[in-house]
Amino acid sequence: MTRDIFQPSGQIQFGIFFQGVNSGTIWKAPESGSQTDFESFRRIVQTAERGKFAAFFLGEGLRLREHLGRPHALDVVGRPDAQTMLAALASVTTNIGLVATQNTTYNDPADLAHRLSSLDLISGGRAAWNIVTTDNAWTGANFRRGGYLDHADRYKHAEAFVETAKRIWDSWETPAGPARRVLHEGQHYTVDVTPRLPRSAQYRPVLFQAGDSPDGRDFAARQADVIFSAHPKFDDAVEFRRDIVARSVAAGRGANAVQIFPASEFILAATPEEAQEKKEWVRTLQIGPQQAIAYLEQFWGRELSSYDPDGPLPEIDPVVEETSETRGSGFHGAKARQLADQWRAEAKDKGLSIRQFVTSKTARIDATFTGSYTAVADHLAQYARVGAVDGFNISPWLIPTGLDDIVNHLVPELQERGVYPTEYRGTTLRENLGLATPDRAAEAATA
């Protein structure tokens, strides 16, 4: 088997994505826990580790989402600093990887490389970096930079940032010699640094990336170890795998060089009927009456509290032509007036109320696995056999108990089918994912 031909491992793994800000978490119910208390993080990460999850993945928020000019009160805002929280979780875990979402636009490469290597060292080689980019002025205002980065340049900037971080990690002090000075002069920053730390047990942090545009896919094929994808459905996942393999080979890397973990939601029970009943319960609590009205307000740009959530969509038009990033990435850039016309027609045609319509728009239809433990395990085994994915990054709909069904019932079913780990392979995240130690000489030759 050559390195240019993809070879399925026959295995899948799980990660958990603790989002913080989202419409998928049930946060106004007696069962809901805090999104900021350390106990919630401790409880769910230890459950994930008991289930042999590969990684615990934290989202990042650099500015609060707003609603009609005020902080959005009908959403979870649970995003403590990722590296601070993961450092604390390193002390109460042993094997699970710790993934910090960190932005290339509003960080300094030398400082971030040092902080990530610190997390990698104190965790015994379990750190990872989810590389994200931002270019909007609304977020940049928090950093006195505004929209200084053109949208078209975000990946060029990110690639220079990542390459600089890699050079810093390659220059650490080793038994063979002292740390080496790293110099970089670019459009947005200049770096002159000598690394202050030794290499970790896994050489350097594992690199995750979630961009899905052609530029994002190419960037991941060149730089990432793992892609956090938006393609969980089977046929779509198979096609996405083909595309990433082709891009990886074109970039001079092996066909198996980049792993794929799509975002996913699991709603499980002992029987299909119970699972469907649970799904209806989950959807009802994810989008309540207030959330449904607020969702439309983000597009209409005006108060709609006088409208009945169980009635038809508002007949009045939005007061904005296009929605802005202040409303969150899910609303950014929508043509509000055009969308309102389309939505009113669609809701009328399908006989949907505001609440029913919003639920249909926000539910993770493509990303949700619903069914009995046995049926879902059989379905996931198909992914493993063909290598459609390497795993699934699970967004639990309840904190901190949202992984219990998965760990207690689904994982054993998968283990019985021989497609899920029964033990961790090693002590580092790189080992547990089956990733090779970086060969920077080979990377440099193909750059």
Side-chain angles (χ1 to χ4, degrees), residues 162-178:
V162 173
E163 277 298 323
T164 302
K166 285 182 176 179
R167 288 175 56 204
I168 292 170
W169 291 325
D170 290 335
S171 302
W172 285 330
E173 180 180 357
T174 68

Side-chain angles (χ1 to χ4, degrees), residues 162-230:
V162 173
E163 277 298 323
T164 302
K166 285 182 176 179
R167 288 175 56 204
I168 292 170
W169 291 325
D170 290 335
S171 302
W172 285 330
E173 180 180 357
T174 68
R180 301 183 303 280
R181 185 181 179 190
V182 175
L183 300 173
H184 169 83
E185 287 195 15
Q187 181 179 355
H188 300 289
Y189 51 80
T190 299
V191 172
D192 182 352
V193 62
T194 301
R196 292 170 281 163
L197 293 170
R199 290 176 182 158
S200 76
Q202 68 171 356
Y203 185 90
R204 71 179 184 218
V206 172
L207 300 182
F208 283 68
Q209 202 271 338
D212 196 35
S213 66
D215 286 345
R217 294 187 187 196
D218 282 338
F219 175 76
R222 291 190 298 268
Q223 300 290 351
D225 300 304
V226 184
I227 295 177
F228 179 18
S229 88

